[in-house]
Amino acid sequence: MGQGTDRRVGIGREEPLLLERSKKGRKGYSVAGADSVSDRDIRIPAGLLRDAVPGIPEADEVTVVRHFTRLSQWNYGVDTGMYPLGSCTMKYNPKVNEAAARHPIMDSLHPYTPESMAQGALALVWRLERALAELSGFERVTLQPAAGAHGELCGIMMVRAHFSARGERRRKVLIPDTAHGTNPASSALVGCEVVQVKSGSAGIVEAGTLEQAVDGDTAAFMMTNPNTLGLFESEMPKIAGLLHDKGALLYCDGANFNSLMGIARPGDMGVDVMQFNLHKTFSTPHGGGGPGAGPVGVSKTLEPYLPVPVIEKVGDTFRASTSRPLSIGRMKAFYGNFGVLLRAFTYIAELGAPGLKKATGCAVLNANYVLERLRGDYHVPYAGRCMHECVLTDKNQSVFGVTTLDIAKRLMDHGFHPPTIYFPLVVHGALMIEPTESESLESLDEFVEAMKAIAAETRSDPGAVKAAPTLTPVARMDEIGAARNPCLVSTVK
Ligand SMILES: *Cc1c(COP(=O)(O)O)cnc(C)c1O
């Protein structure tokens, strides 16, 4: 091994910052005659010219190219390995989706193209809306919101508009303790008061508990189904009934629709409004903040409040209609993230109805396979089958001093991206695993064997698990220190 920043780990290198590699006067270009360009030749007013180079790295082209290429090789994505991040649904994005989204006809289409010349694109938006409405049992679906959380915001805005139109001032949104953090955030953004509802001992919300919490000030109950424990909320139809009896609405967080798609329809269970996460259920790449799409389906009750424009089919013509007097307005420029809509449409068209149903079946089967194979080694907090994801805990490992964080770090040494950890909050030391339908039996087995090896190592040599990761360019970082004392300014001279 070499020394300092140039330390080699096999052919995997520790990668210093470009600033640390900077050499004074080093250039990344060689244009004949460029060095003799004088200030007079550059037509920038003298007052705007800097006296010195402003602390940017000075490096040759090869160094810069290698630096960024090496960093890109550190990327871990679904295209390089299994990405079992529960709740995030990191499923494989079929390459045919990319071919469709990058088709020259589609990617050069300007959003201001006159409607008469963009009929194909409008038809696609309309057909995607119809497909989502059919799959979910809703009256209409807006495709505008740019993400799941944005869809939640849009949905709660429509709920508010509904009560305003009726002259009611309901402000309470009830949310179970298993909810994703975006649910209370979206409700609070709209000015609603968030009230937490405890789930029962089986991990789902009991209708009796909810009934106690609903009052005349309750606007909606916001429920994720299947919930973040990977369990189906079987009392949902009953819950919808008792909310409607009291004049309140049922919001379903549909981020986990990939476990219902083609099999059950939330609209049929009494849900009034639900967001889809196209970037989870209908493939399309995501992570690192986007891009995404969070369409929102609504029942007849909320249809008048849909964001505009709404794509309507009049005869054989598609129009973007803005005549909707009670609309909450626009949620996004133009028609939403069109490239993501296009990928989702391609995914639906490619699989067809039987294929979508099969994808759901495989997602649920894969999660249950992982759950059953790991049941002896890891503690399972809730009895019975799971849906698209399973939750384990570190209870068996903690007696050896090994925690969920250690297990997650050790998985990296086995070549896997760790699952979601310490969420949902109601499970102590949670490891939340979502394999998705993309994984083959062989890759599921590889993951299971890695998890089993870590469980065995915990019993024989817990110190080794706690020292992980050892095969990554950077070992375990001081995450608390990084959060409490962030170093946001380069100290490199
Ligand atoms: C991912 C997720 C969200 C948020 O979706 P974004 O697209 O990341 O905004 C909301 N709820 C649940 C249950 C989720 O899994």
Side-chain angles (χ1 to χ4, degrees):
M1 260 190 204
Q3 293 287 310
T5 54
D6 214 11
R7 185 166 68 93
R8 283 167 178 77
V9 183
I11 54 167
R13 283 156 154 260
E14 196 171 289
E15 190 63 30
L17 299 176
L18 218 41
L19 271 169
E20 291 165 343
R21 306 200 134 185
S22 182
K23 290 275 178 291
K24 198 152 179 49
R26 194 67 61 84
K27 286 197 178 73
Y29 62 88
S30 59
V31 180
D35 287 339
S36 63
V37 175
S38 71
D39 286 356
R40 203 167 44 81
D41 297 324
I42 306 169
R43 287 161 205 220
I44 298 173
L48 295 179
L49 283 173
R50 289 179 190 271
D51 297 327
V53 178
I56 54 176
E58 296 176 75
D60 56 278
E61 181 174 332
V62 178
T63 299
V64 174
V65 167
R66 285 183 183 160
H67 174 74
F68 286 110
T69 304
R70 284 199 290 254
L71 288 183
S72 77
Q73 289 167 341
W74 286 5
N75 255 347
Y76 190 98
V78 181
D79 283 4
T80 54
M82 184 172 163
Y83 209 128
L85 212 52
S87 200
C88 297
T89 316
M90 306 301 275
K91 67 162 75 169
Y92 174 70
N93 172 50
K95 296 294 167 262
V96 64
N97 295 358
E98 293 306 305
R102 285 161 201 201
H103 192 284
I105 289 177
M106 289 302 185
D107 79 358
S108 60
L109 191 63
H110 194 280
Y112 280 131
T113 305
E115 276 180 16
S116 63
M117 295 167 73
Q119 284 293 299
L122 294 177
L124 187 143
V125 171
W126 188 85
R127 287 178 65 190
L128 178 59
E129 179 191 338
R130 289 328 308 156
L132 294 177
E134 176 64 28
L135 281 164
S136 58
F138 289 110
E139 194 68 21
R140 300 269 344 219
V141 181
T142 172
L143 305 180
Q144 274 185 39
H150 199 207
E152 292 169 25
L153 180 72
C154 174
I156 295 294
M157 283 169 75
M158 286 191 269
V159 169
R160 248 193 82 158
H162 162 76
F163 288 113
S164 295
R166 292 160 56 109
E168 289 187 59
R169 205 187 167 281
R170 296 184 183 232
R171 280 289 182 275
K172 253 191 227 169
V173 175
L174 311 180
I175 299 180
D177 50 8
T178 47
H180 196 269
T182 49
N183 290 187
S186 306
S187 305
L189 259 181
V190 182
C192 290
E193 182 199 341
V194 174
V195 180
Q196 200 184 70
V197 176
K198 272 204 171 330
S199 25
S201 56
I204 61 166
V205 179
E206 292 163 5
T209 313
L210 186 75
E211 192 162 18
Q212 306 261 306
V214 186
D215 59 19
D217 195 28
T218 304
F221 178 48
M222 209 170 178
M223 149 183 244
T224 306
N225 200 6
N227 66 25
T228 57
L229 292 166
L231 303 175
F232 184 70
E233 293 279 358
S234 53
E235 303 209 3
M236 192 173 205
K238 206 160 147 194
I239 285 171
L242 69 88
L243 285 164
H244 293 156
D245 284 349
K246 297 194 181 184
L249 299 176
L250 178 57
Y251 184 106
C252 179
D253 181 332
N256 298 333
F257 190 59
N258 58 317
S259 57
L260 300 180
M261 175 176 72
I263 292 174
R265 309 199 313 165
D268 297 344
M269 294 182 230
V271 172
D272 296 287
V273 47
M274 179 187 99
Q275 106 275 1
F276 300 79
N277 284 40
L278 292 192
H279 45 294
K280 293 180 180 172
T281 304
F282 299 95
S283 71
T284 103
H286 71 114
V296 181
V298 292
S299 62
K300 259 201 150 53
T301 316
L302 292 179
E303 195 193 330
Y305 313 102
L306 282 171
V308 285
V310 170
I311 308 298
E312 305 284 9
K313 186 170 186 247
V314 185
D316 287 334
T317 308
F318 296 92
R319 288 195 309 118
S321 161
T322 50
S323 56
R324 193 165 285 262
L326 295 176
S327 166
I328 57 167
R330 262 182 192 279
M331 287 303 290
K332 176 110 175 64
F334 308 112
Y335 308 101
N337 271 339
F338 185 71
V340 176
L341 304 181
L342 189 46
R343 288 174 175 91
F345 182 80
T346 307
Y347 180 77
I348 291 172
E350 185 200 4
L351 292 186
L356 292 175
K357 190 171 174 177
K358 190 171 174 195
T360 303
C362 289
V364 174
L365 183 64
N366 283 357
N368 277 287
Y369 179 77
V370 170
L371 176 68
E372 290 312 317
R373 286 212 56 203
L374 291 177
R375 197 182 275 282
D377 294 285
Y378 292 87
H379 168 247
V380 178
Y382 294 96
R385 297 249 174 274
C386 63
M387 296 286 283
H388 61 301
E389 61 196 4
C390 62
V391 176
L392 309 171
T393 88
D394 61 1
K395 195 173 173 187
N396 299 348
Q397 286 67 39
S398 59
V399 294
F400 298 96
V402 168
T403 64
T404 286
L405 182 69
D406 302 322
I407 298 163
K409 297 290 184 192
R410 196 53 159 162
L411 263 176
M412 292 161 70
D413 286 334
H414 285 271
F416 287 98
H417 191 286
T420 296
I421 57 171
Y422 299 109
F423 182 79
L425 303 174
V426 291
V427 175
H428 184 80
L431 283 143
M432 189 194 206
I433 301 164
E434 179 173 10
T436 80
E437 79 277 11
S438 310
E439 298 304 323
S440 66
L441 182 59
E442 292 72 25
S443 63
L444 291 178
D445 280 337
E446 278 174 31
F447 176 76
V448 165
E449 292 311 326
M451 287 291 285
K452 281 179 172 294
I454 295 168
E457 188 179 41
T458 296
R459 294 186 290 268
S460 63
D461 187 6
V465 183
K466 293 199 79 66
T470 55
L471 298 178
T472 48
V474 176
R476 204 177 294 204
M477 285 179 277
D478 176 5
E479 286 163 7
I480 295 170
R484 296 239 169 107
N485 306 303
C487 170
L488 303 176
V489 179
S490 171
T491 52
V492 180
K493 290 273 164 7

